[in-house]
Amino acid sequence: MPDRRETLLWLLRALALSAAPGMAIGSLNAEPRVIGGTAGAAGPPAAIHGIDADGYGRDPDLRHPRVTWPLTLEPEQKTAVAALADALLPAEEGSPAASALGVPDFLDEWISAPYPQQRTDREVILAGLTWIHSQTAHAHLSAASAEAVVARLSALAAAGREPQAHFFSRLRNVCLIGYYTSMSGVAQLGYVGYQPSATFKGPPPEVLALLGV
Amino acid sequence: MAAEPFDVIVVGSGAAGGTAAYALTRAGMRVCLLEAGRFYDPERETPMFQRTAAAPLRDAGTPDKPFGFYDATVDGGWVLPEEPFATAPGTEFRWFRARMLGGRTNHWGRVALRYADHDFKAYSRDGYGADWPFTYAEFASWYDQAERLVGVFGSNPGLPDQPDSPPGCLQPPPVPRSFERLIMAGGRKLGRPVVASHTAVITRPSNGRQACFYATPCLRGCSIRANFQSPTVLLPPARETGRLTTITHAQAYEVELGRDGKARGVHYVDRLTHRHHFVAGRAVMLGASAMESVRMLFNSKNSRYPQGIGADSGLLGCGVMDSTGSNVWGQFPQMENLPPFNDDGAWLPHVYIPWWAWPEQRAGKLPFARGYHLELYGGRLEPSADTFDFFDSVSPFTYGRKLKAEARRYYGSFVRLSQRGEMIPREHNRVQIDPVLKDAWGIPSLRFDVRWSEQELRQTAHAQQSMAEFIEASGGKLVAPLPQDPAQAILPPGRIIHEVGGARAGVDPEKSVTDAFGRVWGVPNLYVIDGGVFASSAHKNPTLTIVAFALRASDHLKRELHHA
Ligand SMILES: Cc1cc2nc3c(=O)[nH]c(=O)nc-3n(C[C@H](O)[C@H](O)[C@H](O)COP(=O)(O)OP(=O)(O)OC[C@H]3O[C@@H](n4cnc5c(N)ncnc54)[C@H](O)[C@@H]3O)c2cc1C
Ligand code: SF4
């Protein structure tokens, strides 16, 4: 089993190698002269790296939400994602770890989705994962090494190193969304809502005092 | 369902067409409503209490559903594969459409402001654009009716740029939410008003509708009918008369004139079968949305009107406007780490910042001719896929326990101020029929040629500065520095989705496309009743004015048919 230092070296080389494709896909923004129709940016472009599923379309059943595309992470990738997500968002007193709230499944749903933002994220995130995983193929990325990878990525991002900064940013953002829009995450942030009431009284006095208004 | 012959063919079932269907059927007329989209039933289909956690991608916007999975837009978006449009080289235009019963009223932001007298006299006031063919005093009673029909909460603070409504028109506004109170405090420091928004949500039961219960995201629609949507507010009472026939999937494309030069009916293609049909009526009202109605006029060519009905003056398609828009985000330390509490409210704005510098502008002291207002969004709504957008700037590189603490700390502490400003109408900002482009049914498509001018850019520079002042005076910090160049701040034309103009109403057939009631010059029983008729577009969001205009036009048509 490669040691931690070696893993990181592999990871960093992988990140450096895989920066370019993500950029190319990100530039779909350039506006065509014709918007819509056959020449427009409408339908999904040709299959990109295994994602050729349809989206949920423009008229999905909103009362019965359903993910319509297949999930694409390999089991080992999923394990690595779980370790990284738990390093980003670990268990604490009264607050579960990311993997306990389904964040790895959510990340899989996200990067497998046939939409532009998600395709871009897929490029960026898979680039990091593939190589982390290739280094730990026989033993899943351990919690300790995942923490070290995340710490190192954060340090490199802080030093302004690309593409590490971008990878760290996208991985972290997708994990944050997955965690804090879950029912537990929403409660942890202190959101209270969806409670029908005949009146709206506004923020309670103790909050107004804190706000100074 | 009423049988033929129809008195009136109404095209489009959104704010304009829905209003006409409501007013005309209740006045005893048999109406055939042609709607391009599918039937839509908000009482059955609205995912009111579905949680973000259950939505694909946690409700993040996608090209299929730009405002999120649960958003009340069906078969719509910025890019419709079946319905392309073109933009002139070097220009940009965004065009958001919704192909469904009720159109964009199912989703809209519901800010519903009256124009002031000076808004109807835009040209007389500063020499730009054109005046409307009526004054505020002549139009005010239609606003009264529109407010009562739509259901709008708001207040009457007696401001120079915001006409007060007579008693009985507005519903009481809900109290402000936490972030709104901060901005109000900032406004007091700056000596600028922050007042109740006028928002199309009812806070008291009325007209058989329930009051808002302050619990669910308004942009998904409202199955208890507390907010305004054409299919919950306008179409049910129209149906109850027994005089409304609605044909969905009907893409109207041409108004046909009889020998007498009057409209005799409308051609449409069934979007599902691709079959062509004709439906006859004694009058026709176009409410397909401003740009679609203009497109239909252009496509209604005959020997008398080889360039399209209404094109005689050369002004058809000219004077397209959107609202200017730009954003500034603030982060508010006072809002960090607040204890849990319910701050949903009516979801949409409870307060807004009216245009305070109108007296200064009137006195010629500002380097731009037309005003803007500011809308506020943010605070402690349900966490969403956008909640962490600013984490790379406010808490970069954090992870582990620290990241979780930061997530709890920052949640709910961001507020977006949004400029909504007036664009000056200019004839060169126009739509035309593209020479080659057609939609999936073979109907010629539009080409947009719309640009901002120096006027809009100078206004945006001022608005950006003001938004920063509001944030700082309220104790917040800018999330990012303001761009040096307002051209980088202003959103592309069309992006605010207030596109209007192109069939300007006026008093002179040489200088307008329709008369003061929306009747196309030369064709006395053909009306344009949507935003197409706007001679100018005040910074005030257009829909209330569209509803009021459609009520007035319907009343006019009722009298005309009565005489005949
Ligand atoms: C995100 C968003 C936020 C907004 N916020 C606000 C706001 O806060 N305040 C405000 O005042 N306005 C707002 N608006 C704008 C508002 O939605 C429009 O001004 C209003 O809906 C226009 O009404 P309309 O009837 O002209 O057009 P629509 O509501 O678009 O309705 C037109 C209908 O006609 C149908 N149609 C089109 N072409 C044809 C055809 N050829 N044949 C048959 N049917 C056809 C369409 O399918 C549609 O159902 C917002 C819009 C959006 C999308
Ligand atoms: S906030 Fe009120 S008006 Fe809006 S959807 Fe919920 S209940 Fe309806």
Side-chain angles (χ1 to χ4, degrees):
Chain A
M1 185 174 150
D3 71 10
R4 207 182 83 194
R5 202 171 156 289
E6 213 177 317
T7 305
L8 289 173
L9 285 173
W10 274 105
L11 169 63
L12 300 183
R13 281 214 327 253
L15 293 175
L17 281 173
S18 61
M23 298 294 106
I25 291 166
S27 66
L28 271 179
N29 288 333
E31 193 105 51
R33 202 184 76 81
V34 173
I35 294 139
T38 44
I48 296 178
H49 301 271
I51 299 290
D52 57 1
D54 288 336
Y56 46 62
R58 288 179 290 143
D59 187 12
D61 181 350
L62 305 187
R63 302 282 297 264
H64 303 96
R66 203 166 61 82
V67 173
T68 51
W69 49 92
L71 304 185
T72 56
L73 279 185
E74 302 292 339
E76 309 83 63
Q77 289 176 312
K78 194 79 154 280
T79 314
V81 163
L84 293 167
D86 285 351
L88 284 165
L89 298 161
E92 290 175 284
E93 183 78 22
S95 164
S99 55
L101 294 185
V103 171
D105 289 333
F106 173 69
L107 186 136
D108 197 359
E109 172 188 328
W110 186 276
I111 66 161
S112 305
Y115 296 114
Q117 171 70 51
Q118 286 71 21
R119 286 171 194 270
T120 308
D121 285 344
R122 177 183 184 80
E123 292 293 324
V124 173
I125 289 172
L126 287 190
L129 286 189
T130 310
W131 286 93
I132 293 172
H133 185 73
S134 77
Q135 288 310 292
T136 55
H138 299 294
H140 296 315
L141 189 64
S142 70
S145 55
E147 257 170 51
V149 168
V150 165
R152 182 76 182 133
L153 274 170
S154 158
L156 288 167
R161 284 274 282 279
E162 291 296 354
Q164 291 86 345
H166 198 48
F167 171 54
F168 181 76
S169 157
R170 294 314 304 148
L171 179 72
R172 191 177 76 149
N173 184 254
V174 178
C175 289
L176 280 168
I177 295 171
Y179 193 94
Y180 286 109
T181 61
S182 69
M183 292 305 277
S184 159
V186 161
Q188 289 182 51
L189 292 184
Y191 169 74
V192 182
Y194 290 89
Q195 300 170 330
S197 158
T199 54
F200 176 68
K201 298 209 170 61
E206 58 273 25
V207 168
L208 294 180
L210 287 168
L211 295 179
V213 294
Chain B
M1 192 186 264
E4 293 183 60
F6 296 112
D7 293 313
V8 189
I9 314 300
V10 175
V11 180
S13 63
T19 299
Y22 168 87
L24 296 171
T25 53
R26 285 168 55 100
M29 279 169 268
R30 285 151 305 168
V31 171
C32 177
L33 183 61
L34 299 177
E35 168 52 53
R38 74 157 167 87
F39 180 75
Y40 174 67
D41 178 2
E43 292 187 45
R44 200 172 47 79
E45 298 189 50
T46 309
M48 270 185 107
F49 284 94
Q50 247 84 345
R51 295 299 295 258
T52 298
L57 306 176
R58 306 288 164 93
D59 204 29
T62 65
D64 279 338
K65 298 276 293 187
F67 297 106
F69 182 81
Y70 291 134
D71 173 72
T73 299
V74 168
D75 288 327
W78 299 106
V79 177
L80 303 187
E82 303 85 4
E83 297 177 73
F85 63 95
T87 52
T91 68
E92 268 191 281
F93 198 85
R94 302 293 155 89
W95 191 17
F96 190 92
R97 290 158 284 172
R99 294 289 174 252
M100 64 197 293
L101 195 69
R104 295 173 295 179
T105 66
N106 294 302
H107 157 103
W108 69 307
R110 297 181 171 82
V111 174
L113 299 164
R114 289 180 181 223
Y115 281 25
D117 188 48
H118 52 260
D119 292 321
F120 291 107
K121 296 175 176 155
Y123 172 76
S124 309
R125 144 190 170 192
D126 57 28
Y128 290 111
D131 285 346
W132 286 64
F134 42 76
T135 63
Y136 179 76
E138 289 164 311
F139 197 63
S141 69
W142 301 104
Y143 272 138
D144 300 351
Q145 283 192 41
E147 280 172 350
R148 283 195 289 256
L149 173 61
V150 164
V152 179
F153 72 66
S155 70
N156 290 317
L159 297 167
D161 189 46
Q162 178 190 303
D164 284 347
S165 302
C169 290
L170 297 176
Q171 302 236 342
V175 297
R177 292 167 289 192
S178 55
F179 72 99
E180 294 172 324
R181 289 173 197 243
L182 284 181
I183 303 290
M184 290 171 82
R188 283 193 293 274
K189 271 193 208 155
L190 293 170
R192 292 178 193 161
V194 183
V195 299
S197 174
H198 288 210
T199 302
V201 166
I202 58 173
T203 53
R204 299 289 181 272
S206 56
N207 297 338
R209 294 162 61 191
Q210 280 185 61
C212 175
F213 55 39
Y214 310 107
T216 54
C218 257
L219 302 186
R220 299 179 186 177
C222 187
S223 56
I224 65 163
R225 303 166 66 215
N227 73 24
F228 175 80
Q229 296 173 253
S230 170
T232 55
V233 178
L234 301 174
L235 299 180
R239 251 179 241 129
E240 272 166 29
T241 65
R243 288 186 281 272
L244 179 67
T245 300
T246 305
I247 306 180
T248 49
H249 303 292
Q251 181 87 20
Y253 60 90
E254 186 186 339
V255 178
E256 188 178 308
L257 302 186
R259 290 238 176 95
D260 56 1
K262 288 187 175 176
R264 47 176 298 267
V266 174
H267 291 273
Y268 69 91
V269 56
D270 184 310
R271 287 161 64 109
L272 301 181
T273 64
H274 288 242
R275 287 221 187 91
H276 291 255
H277 302 269
F278 176 76
V279 55
R282 294 164 71 202
V284 172
M285 287 193 149
L286 302 182
S289 81
M291 300 301 118
E292 285 292 349
S293 292
V294 168
R295 177 181 174 212
M296 262 189 86
L297 289 174
F298 271 127
N299 284 333
S300 299
K301 290 182 183 165
N302 50 51
S303 54
R304 167 62 187 86
Y305 298 105
Q307 306 300 318
I309 298 174
D312 276 4
S313 65
L315 286 172
L316 185 62
C318 294
V320 170
M321 297 163 272
D322 184 27
S323 297
T324 55
S326 77
N327 297 320
V328 179
W329 281 92
Q331 194 276 324
F332 290 80
Q334 310 97 299
M335 298 277 290
E336 293 173 12
N337 286 318
L338 290 180
F341 66 101
N342 185 336
D343 214 14
D344 274 357
W347 216 85
L348 295 168
H350 293 196
V351 305
Y352 89 116
I353 300 168
W355 177 224
W356 64 91
W358 154 239
E360 224 176 313
Q361 188 166 51
R362 179 173 42 194
K365 290 185 192 150
L366 295 179
F368 51 98
R370 305 283 170 87
Y372 61 86
H373 71 264
L374 303 176
E375 295 176 9
L376 317 178
Y377 298 93
R380 297 176 66 85
L381 291 177
E382 187 185 21
S384 72
D386 304 331
T387 296
F388 299 98
D389 277 1
F390 300 118
F391 256 55
D392 282 343
S393 50
V394 296
S395 185
F397 324 125
T398 51
Y399 60 93
R401 288 166 164 269
K402 169 87 172 155
L403 178 59
K404 288 175 106 178
E406 295 278 85
R408 291 189 295 269
R409 170 181 168 195
Y410 282 111
Y411 160 66
S413 72
F414 298 94
V415 178
R416 167 165 63 96
L417 271 67
S418 273
Q419 166 202 10
R420 297 283 179 269
E422 177 165 357
M423 174 185 186
I424 289 174
R426 297 178 191 272
E427 276 161 32
H428 62 73
N429 285 328
R430 65 194 301 198
V431 291
Q432 292 167 285
I433 294 296
D434 187 89
V436 291
L437 198 62
K438 291 187 168 66
D439 68 18
W441 302 275
I443 307 164
S445 300
L446 288 177
R447 180 200 289 190
F448 288 77
D449 187 350
V450 181
R451 301 152 209 260
W452 299 127
S453 75
E454 266 306 307
Q455 280 282 341
E456 286 82 38
L457 292 174
R458 277 187 238 134
Q459 179 204 80
T460 298
H462 191 273
Q464 286 270 305
Q465 194 58 46
S466 306
M467 291 190 275
E469 286 162 12
F470 262 103
I471 288 166
E472 280 160 2
S474 313
K477 298 181 281 205
L478 300 192
V479 169
L482 299 182
Q484 293 291 315
D485 181 356
Q488 288 175 304
I490 196 169
L491 294 163
R495 177 60 189 80
I496 302 303
I497 324 181
H498 292 167
E499 80 288 350
V500 293
R504 175 200 298 165
V507 288
D508 178 351
E510 306 272 295
K511 292 184 180 156
S512 53
V513 176
T514 78
D515 72 7
F517 294 98
R519 286 189 301 178
V520 178
W521 291 114
V523 189
N525 65 341
L526 171 61
Y527 292 71
V528 178
I529 54 167
D530 53 32
V533 297
F534 279 40
S536 69
S537 179
H539 61 83
K540 294 138 192 172
N541 320 34
T543 309
L544 185 74
T545 303
I546 292 173
V547 170
F549 190 91
L551 284 172
R552 182 170 171 272
S554 301
D555 180 70
H556 184 267
L557 174 58
K558 178 184 82 182
R559 287 162 207 278
E560 292 287 299
L561 290 184
H562 213 70
H563 286 310

